[in-house]
Amino acid sequence: FVLYGVMEYLNTEATGSGFTRGSNRISAFFQWQLYALGVAAGGFIVSRRLSDASKMVRLIGRLPLMISGAFFLGVVALFLVMLAMAKLGIGA
């Protein structure tokens, strides 16, 4: 799902004008990132519910959630920093 979000961003035609041009691409990217986070959370819940699961199975169930969550939060933080820089006129 993460790679599909990147491909969706790269292949979607930008619409809009001015500052909002291309925001449809960003929303498509975030939509697929949320799907990936949801699937990772589902895998985490399933791995936690297995009563006879070893620590390795629980770790394997936790890794996609940690990776997807960290990637999603990193992208959101980068997006917010870029918005703040544009608003303040830094780097222009």
Side-chain angles (χ1 to χ4, degrees):
F1 286 116
V2 173
L3 291 177
Y4 193 76
V6 171
M7 294 306 295
E8 186 76 18
Y9 177 79
L10 293 174
N11 294 325
T12 302
E13 185 67 31
T15 61
S17 61
F19 183 73
T20 61
R21 180 164 174 78
S23 62
N24 64 319
R25 295 169 61 182
I26 295 170
S27 66
F29 175 76
F30 281 132
Q31 177 184 4
W32 283 103
Q33 297 312 307
L34 283 174
Y35 291 157
L37 190 59
V39 170
F44 172 71
I45 291 169
V46 168
S47 71
R48 294 293 292 172
R49 295 206 175 232
L50 297 173
S51 60
D52 59 345
S54 66
K55 288 185 179 186
M56 182 60 87
V57 170
R58 290 185 179 176
L59 177 65
I60 291 171
R62 191 178 305 144
L63 280 177
L65 181 63
M66 292 179 355
I67 292 169
S68 181
F71 181 75
F72 183 75
L73 289 176
V75 168
V76 169
L78 181 64
F79 181 70
L80 292 175
V81 166
M82 288 173 38
L83 282 177
M85 288 176 66
K87 184 77 171 168
L88 297 173
I90 299 172

